[in-house]
Amino acid sequence: DTGIEIKDDRYYIMAGYEPQEFDGATDEWRLRIHPDDRDLANKAVEDYLSGKSEKYDIEFRFRRKDDSYMWIRSRGKIVEWDEEGNQKRFVGTHSDITERIEAEQNLRDSEQRFRALHNASFGGIAIHDKGLILECNSGLSEITGFSYEELVGMDGLLLISDDTRDQVFENINTGYEEPYEAIGVRKNGDRYPLRLEARQIPYKGKEVRVVEFRDLTERKEAEKQLKKHEDKLNSIFRVAPTGIGMVRNRVLIEVDPKICEMTGDSVEELIGQTARMLY
C-alpha cells in the first residue's frame, strides 16, 4: 500500500552498506543493478507481477558500496492480496552467489585453456573409456580424416588396423604406458605407421585413458631414404678400388676393406685410431 520496501540488516551488510542506508523506495534497488543487467531484471519483475511468468528468480550483478559488483540471485513471490485481488505484499531474497559464478567462470576458462592446449598438440589426442572415445582434439581429425563429431562416441579400435588391433586392445586392458607402434587406418581406408602412447587419468569423476596418436609416415619415409643412402655408401666402401676412410676430429670412424688390404690392419685395429698412424 505504501510502496515502501523493508529490508533486513543482512541485505545491506552483504553489499557493504550500513543498515537502513537505502532510502526505502521500491525502485531504489534497481539503481544498484549493473547497467547491462538492468533491463533483464526489470523484465523479470514485470513478467512475474503481470502473470506472464510463474515465478521470479533471476541472477544479476549488484553494485557494492565500494562500486565493485557482486553476483546476486534474486527470488521472490506475492504473498498477500486485498479483497479485490490486487497484489498487496511481495517477499523476496537476495543471495550472494559471487563465489559460485566465479568458480563457474574459472571452470570455463580452464576448459578453454585445456581445449587450446589440446588442439595445439602436435599429434592426435583422444580420451577414451575402454576404447570408446569421450573427447578428442583437432589433431586426431587431421590424422584420421574423421570429423570431431564422427570421432566422439566412436570405438577407437576402429582407427587401428586388424593386424595390430589385438596388440592395442591388450595394452588398453593392461594399462600399458610405454610408447609403441601400430598400424593406423584413415577414414579413406589408407594404412599408415602409427606411434601410440597412453596414460591413465581421472576425467569427470572416473578413471579413463588419454592416448596420443603420432603419424610416423614422414619419419618412416626419411628412415627408408637414410637406409637407402647408407646401403649405397656401404656398397661404395665394399667395392672401391682405393682406400676410403671417414675421419671425425682426426679419428678414424669408418674404413673400407681396401685400406685394411693396403695397411695390413683389421677394421677393428683401425677404427678409433688417429688417422696420423696411416702416414
Side-chain angles (χ1 to χ4, degrees):
D1 295 333
T2 62
I4 297 298
E5 285 186 350
I6 300 170
K7 305 178 180 69
D8 67 358
D9 289 351
R10 178 64 185 161
Y11 182 94
Y12 300 94
I13 294 170
M14 191 166 59
Y17 296 94
E18 295 298 326
Q20 309 306 321
E21 191 169 347
F22 292 6
D23 62 18
T26 305
D27 289 338
E28 211 273 345
W29 68 279
R30 300 175 192 255
L31 301 177
R32 289 171 170 76
I33 297 177
H34 192 286
D36 293 344
D37 300 337
R38 198 168 294 157
D39 289 345
L40 186 66
N42 287 335
K43 186 177 186 304
V45 173
E46 292 164 5
D47 285 351
Y48 174 67
L49 295 179
S50 66
K52 290 182 180 179
S53 62
E54 295 181 356
K55 65 178 181 177
Y56 169 70
D57 189 344
I58 188 173
E59 297 176 359
F60 53 77
R61 287 163 288 181
F62 191 79
R63 190 176 73 249
R64 296 187 180 100
K65 187 174 182 178
D66 63 5
D67 287 333
S68 65
Y69 282 92
M70 63 193 296
W71 275 94
I72 290 292
R73 182 182 182 188
S74 180
R75 289 172 287 182
K77 65 186 297 185
I78 301 166
V79 296
E80 188 177 339
W81 294 260
D82 62 20
E83 294 178 355
E84 287 75 35
N86 298 313
Q87 300 160 358
K88 189 174 181 182
R89 193 155 60 95
F90 180 92
V91 173
T93 63
H94 275 191
S95 303
D96 183 354
I97 59 170
T98 305
E99 288 188 5
R100 193 204 83 196
I101 294 293
E102 290 178 348
E104 290 172 352
Q105 184 59 50
N106 289 337
L107 179 60
R108 284 192 293 271
D109 291 344
S110 176
E111 289 176 343
Q112 288 173 356
R113 287 193 297 271
F114 169 76
R115 174 64 62 186
L117 291 171
H118 204 43
N119 286 330
S121 169
F122 295 105
I125 301 291
I127 297 173
H128 69 86
D129 183 13
K130 296 180 177 61
L132 183 68
I133 297 176
L134 307 175
E135 184 60 80
C136 67
N137 70 344
S138 59
L140 190 61
S141 294
E142 293 171 6
I143 291 173
T144 64
F146 289 96
S147 68
Y148 172 83
E149 290 75 18
E150 291 173 319
L151 287 167
V152 172
M154 176 189 288
D155 181 355
L157 289 172
L158 297 177
L159 303 175
I160 309 299
S161 69
D162 292 340
D163 48 328
T164 58
R165 193 172 293 164
D166 288 346
Q167 175 199 2
V168 175
F169 183 72
E170 176 68 17
N171 289 345
I172 292 173
N173 287 336
T174 60
Y176 187 76
E177 295 191 348
E178 295 299 320
Y180 65 99
E181 294 185 9
I183 302 297
V185 181
R186 306 190 205 275
K187 184 177 180 178
N188 62 7
D190 287 350
R191 293 161 55 93
Y192 66 100
L194 177 66
R195 177 185 181 272
L196 297 171
E197 184 172 2
R199 294 286 186 276
Q200 300 291 124
I201 64 166
Y203 179 76
K204 294 186 177 180
K206 63 192 305 185
E207 194 77 8
V208 297
R209 196 165 170 87
V210 58
V211 57
E212 180 189 44
F213 286 65
R214 289 276 182 172
D215 185 347
L216 299 182
T217 303
E218 291 186 4
R219 197 192 84 182
K220 292 291 186 181
E221 182 60 29
E223 290 175 350
K224 181 179 177 182
Q225 293 300 321
L226 179 60
K227 179 69 165 55
K228 183 178 178 181
H229 289 307
E230 287 177 343
D231 289 345
K232 184 181 294 185
L233 181 61
N234 288 333
S235 295
I236 293 172
F237 261 63
R238 285 194 301 271
V239 302
T242 56
I244 298 176
M246 294 177 67
V247 178
R248 181 186 296 125
N249 297 328
R250 300 182 182 180
V251 172
L252 287 164
I253 61 171
E254 190 69 75
V255 294
D256 74 338
K258 189 66 176 178
I259 285 187
C260 297
E261 199 178 297
M262 293 166 66
T263 65
D265 298 299
S266 68
V267 172
E268 293 75 15
E269 290 173 320
L270 291 175
I271 298 298
Q273 299 294 330
T274 174
R276 183 174 294 182
M277 68 174 292
L278 297 176
Y279 306 114

